[in-house]
Amino acid sequence: MTEQSLEQALSWLAGLERFSIRPGLERMEYMMERLGHPERRLKFIHIAGTNGKGSTAAFLYSILRQTGQDVGLFVSPYITSFHERIQYNGDYIATEDLVALIGRLEPIVEDMKESELGAPTEFEVVTALALLYFATVTYPDLVIWETGLGGRLDSTNIVHPLACIITNIGFDHMNILGGAFPAIAREKAGIIKSGVPLITGKMPGEALEIIEEVAKSRRATIYRAEVEYKALRTQREGREIMDFTGLFESINGCELGLTGAHQVDNAAGALMTLQVLNRYFALYVEEEHIRKGLREARWPGRFERISSAPDIVLDGAHNVDGVRALVQTVRDYYPGRKVSLVFSALADKNYAEMVDLLAPLCERVWVTKTNHPRAASATELAAAFEASAPDISVQAEEDWREAWRQAIHTVTPQEVLLVAGSLYFISDIRNEWKENRKAGDE
């Protein structure tokens, strides 16, 4: 399989209105019909929520892999490479499978372009591709299945899962999902299926009320954070430690592989889900699997330290709640340390409020712009920082590579260099760092 064939396949895929959002399941239903309904041959844990979806998926994936079962994972967006979005037993989808499956989908998509349905979006095709991969190539026992945006009309909602998780509700994608907690909650609650157990994380009361209402109407038993299950957080030698109390059993002293108080919430939601599946679907998960899986869980771009002296931390905090959690984690893990920041955000996010949270943490800031078409300019971001904290040093650099170069050559070994914002930006920085490290080794 040549690199050229991969490039051609991904180029075709990217041409499908890559950055457009067209809610609705009609196009997915058509593709599933044409493909012989691969989604009906698989078992899923479906995850929605404003933040924490990826980390919750990472905990579940890591634990279930310890059991010896075959496990699939579908997530978005990617940090390392496109292949990262579709995984099986710890491996990314192979290039030959990716190209072959895109080739199988292409004629269906071309037919749709000429129909009243119109062409599917890139995410819809990637969703179909993942279902085809799991149902016809790898045959996992269980698939960890993350929504893209919202829930009710998200393309991933074509499946009927064993369990659903809604991690939390916050303000993000308001232009699509609505501008108030109830509206956003109703969209996320759209993944709730008749009779399928639902696990919820911590969220505002008004959002939880909506979710409880939908769950009741669909006779879905609900397991709520701080009600049916609880988690207590402590720290030991720079690691998160969780004591978990669930409706069915408890487990104490679990060490987490991901950092921050919010990760304790995500891990707790994952454990409650596994308890439910163990009790009602005889899912085989032992305590040793839980402990090792939680300890070994990893997720790129989530408070990920890629270097020391200086400590360089990457975090894809791309909305207000994510930034709030990031700021608390920096204060927990680097008390009293001087912090510099490289920041980029999308223009349609509430970056002014994100800046208000970040500014008190930092002594020096570089703001920059990625190549994403919705990215805010460095000038816009600089103005936000200067309005929020006129006393800190702010350097605007439209070229993200130049901003990154300036930052890593300016900070001292005693400082913390925080790289935060859009996940697209974190992906760019992480790949640049890896390439430079690789070049240095050659």
Side-chain angles (χ1 to χ4, degrees):
M1 187 62 59
T2 66
E3 283 298 315
Q4 184 179 10
S5 58
L6 173 63
E7 225 174 271
Q8 289 171 342
L10 293 182
S11 177
W12 173 81
L13 193 58
L16 297 171
E17 303 177 65
R18 181 175 181 184
F19 300 107
S20 71
I21 298 168
R22 296 167 61 201
L25 293 174
E26 300 86 356
R27 293 174 297 279
M28 284 301 302
E29 289 165 351
Y30 176 85
M31 285 191 284
M32 293 302 97
E33 178 72 24
R34 288 282 300 267
L35 293 168
H37 289 287
E39 80 285 5
R40 295 178 183 173
R41 291 174 249 164
L42 300 162
K43 297 175 182 177
F44 301 88
I45 300 174
H46 198 186
I47 308 174
T50 303
N51 291 302
K53 298 188 298 294
S55 297
T56 301
F59 284 123
L60 286 166
Y61 190 47
S62 183
I63 294 168
L64 288 170
R65 285 181 56 210
Q66 302 301 324
T67 68
Q69 298 175 87
D70 295 322
V71 191
L73 176 69
F74 179 66
V75 293
S76 63
Y78 62 87
I79 296 292
T80 306
S81 73
F82 181 91
H83 299 63
E84 179 186 330
R85 300 174 77 165
I86 304 169
Q87 301 181 36
Y88 173 74
N89 285 351
D91 295 322
Y92 297 170
I93 184 173
T95 293
E96 54 266 34
D97 291 326
L98 180 58
V99 172
L101 293 173
I102 288 176
R104 185 172 170 185
L105 286 166
E106 188 171 356
I108 297 174
V109 171
E110 295 305 316
D111 286 348
M112 292 175 69
K113 287 180 180 179
E114 305 303 319
S115 75
E116 61 182 18
L117 288 171
T121 65
E122 182 203 32
F123 187 71
E124 288 170 336
V125 175
V126 174
T127 303
L129 193 157
L131 290 168
L132 205 52
Y133 173 70
F134 292 134
T136 66
V137 179
T138 54
Y139 315 105
D141 298 308
L142 194 58
V143 178
I144 314 302
W145 192 244
E146 181 189 338
T147 59
L149 186 155
R152 182 174 63 94
L153 298 176
D154 188 81
S155 63
T156 63
N157 207 27
I158 199 72
V159 309
H160 193 91
L162 294 181
C164 297
I165 304 173
I166 300 177
T167 57
N168 54 44
I169 304 294
F171 285 115
D172 202 3
H173 303 293
M174 286 92 77
N175 57 324
I176 304 295
L177 305 180
F181 277 125
I184 296 172
R186 285 200 182 279
E187 290 301 317
K188 307 291 186 188
I191 70 166
I192 301 171
K193 303 294 189 302
S194 179
V196 174
L198 169 68
I199 295 82
T200 63
K202 295 178 181 177
M203 63 186 68
E206 58 183 320
L208 183 58
E209 286 175 10
I210 296 293
I211 289 171
E212 288 173 334
E213 174 193 315
V214 174
K216 183 178 180 180
S217 71
R218 295 176 188 171
R219 294 182 171 82
T221 304
I222 186 169
Y223 302 86
R224 299 157 294 183
E226 303 300 318
V227 182
E228 282 76 24
Y229 71 96
K230 298 180 181 180
L232 177 66
R233 174 206 187 204
T234 56
Q235 291 172 282
R236 185 175 65 222
E237 298 176 353
R239 301 296 291 264
E240 300 289 347
I241 308 298
M242 179 182 71
D243 293 343
F244 174 82
T245 303
L247 195 62
F248 308 120
E249 57 186 278
S250 301
I251 179 170
N252 294 330
C254 295
E255 183 180 317
L256 307 188
L258 301 178
T259 303
H262 57 294
Q263 297 297 3
V264 173
D265 296 334
N266 295 328
L271 286 200
M272 189 67 247
T273 303
L274 293 174
Q275 281 197 5
V276 170
L277 293 178
N278 180 279
R279 189 171 183 86
Y280 296 112
F281 296 97
L283 180 70
Y284 174 68
V285 182
E286 297 287 349
E287 182 175 318
E288 62 184 284
H289 302 142
I290 291 170
R291 290 189 182 278
K292 189 174 182 185
L294 290 174
R295 186 173 62 250
E296 296 185 358
R298 298 292 183 271
W299 203 238
R302 274 68 170 184
F303 209 82
E304 180 184 17
R305 192 177 77 159
I306 61 171
S307 179
S308 57
D311 285 324
I312 301 177
V313 176
L314 308 183
D315 196 283
H318 58 281
N319 56 39
V320 172
D321 287 342
V323 168
R324 187 175 289 112
L326 169 61
V327 169
Q328 185 59 55
T329 305
V330 172
R331 287 177 171 151
D332 285 348
Y333 279 83
Y334 297 108
R337 292 277 294 276
K338 183 177 179 180
V339 177
S340 291
L341 170 70
V342 187
F343 181 72
S344 181
L346 300 185
D348 54 7
K349 301 290 184 177
N350 186 359
Y351 63 78
E353 193 171 345
M354 294 160 67
V355 164
D356 286 341
L357 292 167
L358 286 164
L361 193 69
C362 308
E363 294 192 24
R364 185 191 298 115
V365 176
W366 286 266
V367 289
T368 189
K369 181 182 179 181
T370 65
N371 296 325
H372 194 284
R374 302 202 319 270
S377 71
T379 304
E380 291 171 313
L381 296 175
F385 271 100
E386 287 161 0
S388 181
D391 295 334
I392 66 173
S393 170
V394 180
Q395 178 69 40
E397 178 55 64
E398 297 293 341
D399 183 342
W400 66 264
R401 285 188 175 86
E402 178 58 22
W404 170 239
R405 187 195 68 78
Q406 290 180 20
I408 60 176
H409 285 94
T410 301
V411 297
T412 66
Q414 293 74 38
E415 289 183 62
V416 177
L417 178 58
L418 182 62
V419 183
S422 160
L423 284 166
Y424 302 101
F425 176 53
I426 299 303
S427 176
D428 287 340
I429 293 289
R430 194 175 191 275
N431 288 328
E432 180 82 357
W433 174 260
K434 285 179 65 179
E435 285 300 314
N436 290 342
R437 286 285 296 273
K438 184 178 177 183
D441 292 339
E442 292 174 350

